[in-house]
Amino acid sequence: MGNGVLAGKTVVELGSMIAAPFATHILQQLGAEVVKIEPPAGETTRKLVRGGPSGSYLAFNRGKRSLCLDLQAPDGQEVFRKLIARADIVMHNLSPSAARKLGATFETCRALNPGVVFCHIKGYGDGPASEEVASNPLAEAATGVMFSNRVEGRPARLGPSYHDQFAGCYAAIAVLSALMSDDPEARNIELGLYETGLHIAARDLLGVQLKSQILGRAETEPSAEFSIPGYGAYETRDHRWVYLVMLTDDHWRRFCAAAGIAADPALATLRARRRDRPRVEALVADAVAAQSFDDLAAALSARGVGHTEVLSTDRVLDAPQARHPGKLSSFGFSDLGFESPDFPVPSQRRDSGLGDAPPLLGEDTTAILCSLGYGEDRIAALVAAGTAVEADPAEDLWSRPAKAVAVGG
């Protein structure tokens, strides 16, 4: 590791929630300097947990610089234009109408900086819905993901905002591609959450087309485990959950050998196991329930069976694989300490570690304005007018529970 492959590049971000901030988080991890422009109230994820920053803000805004600016004010627009003129990349996920209102369009930015790479993550790309607003769960609902994910029969969103984060990944890929291209048109990147969802769902969308043509009817898989017996989560004797991968006949043979299940020629093929699914499920569940997690995991590893424990979020970073050097960065924010996973390709990312914290709201406002040529009096006037906002290091960011008071003596 060193300064990262994007060292020397400057990104201007007008991002909220996840998609654009996640994209610029990747670019920051690759070495770019990211200037995050936020409105006077701060971006949405600064106020989601007890009135303060959420996990999304802490995770995806590390190492950025915060410029707090009212872009609806003429003086705020002046600062914005100066920033764009010096930027290499502009990234945002504003609605189309808000982007036009604030001058955050490709045409406006190109006029200020002909070489800028511009990326707009929208709800929808070109098409009849291009002006509509969409979010992660709407993309899940519209592209088939939510239909199969149900809670007590009701379609429900997934836990993590995967469509937002996939869109952020696609945006980062497109930016890197544009930086390598001599084609000016490649610098105008427009990406829809809906189109991201379509691409993610391609396997399932083609799978249902395949079965419709072979079987003469539409048929979707009834579960995320593809109806393969022995594929999924099972509870061990000590009430821990192991997740098993059982895609092939070889996987089945290896599992049976590890779990002490006698070979049965009648269950040797996947087609046969599917026909006798209840018996296979009972065999697997009983074999797993008869052993402790540690004993079973050791046997599965020895036989090369794909498996892992199903972990609650509070236990994930305790795993030896997660604790291996080079995977996490530690930082302090306010009076709290955190560990956050890094971009998983160490050879491409910048040196991180202690001190790579997310910024307070407006933490870099004065420094950035100075770099743009504003003097002390002018900066003071912008702050006094509310056009620019400086950080308050003494601000208590979260509303915290009152400490319990001992009763009696």
Side-chain angles (χ1 to χ4, degrees), residues 276-353:
D276 210 353
R277 180 183 178 88
R279 183 160 76 96
V280 173
E281 284 293 319
L283 278 172
V284 175
D286 290 347
V288 170
Q291 301 189 51
S292 70
F293 177 87
D294 288 338
D295 288 346
L296 177 62
L300 294 173
S301 292
R303 294 281 182 170
V305 179
H307 71 284
T308 190
E309 184 172 5
V310 180
L311 296 172
S312 57
T313 309
D314 60 305
R315 295 178 58 207
V316 169
L317 295 185
D318 293 332
Q321 184 69 16
R323 306 306 306 175
H324 190 77
K327 301 186 189 300
L328 306 174
S329 285
S330 301
F331 63 89
F333 185 78
S334 187
D335 59 342
L336 304 178
F338 300 93
E339 292 181 304
S340 186
D342 282 322
F343 184 75
V345 188
S347 62
Q348 304 300 313
R349 70 174 187 247
R350 72 194 309 156
D351 288 325
S352 188

Side-chain angles (χ1 to χ4, degrees), residues 230-232 242-247 251 254-255 297 300-301 303-309:
Y231 189 126
V242 62
Y243 198 94
L244 303 172
V245 174
M246 207 77 70
L247 286 171
H251 291 166
R254 289 171 180 266
F255 170 75
L300 294 173
S301 292
R303 294 281 182 170
V305 179
H307 71 284
T308 190
E309 184 172 5

Side-chain angles (χ1 to χ4, degrees), residues 116-178:
V116 75
V117 173
F118 178 89
C119 184
H120 184 187
I121 303 177
K122 304 169 55 184
Y124 300 88
D126 283 344
S130 62
E131 289 292 309
E132 295 187 25
V133 176
S135 59
N136 184 90
L138 296 184
E140 289 182 17
T143 58
V145 173
M146 192 178 289
F147 188 84
S148 299
N149 186 61
R150 296 180 179 242
V151 177
E152 297 179 350
R154 181 183 181 185
R157 63 163 292 167
L158 302 175
S161 295
Y162 287 128
H163 281 61
D164 273 332
Q165 291 179 249
F166 268 113
C169 288
Y170 289 177
I173 292 168
V175 165
L176 295 173
S177 177

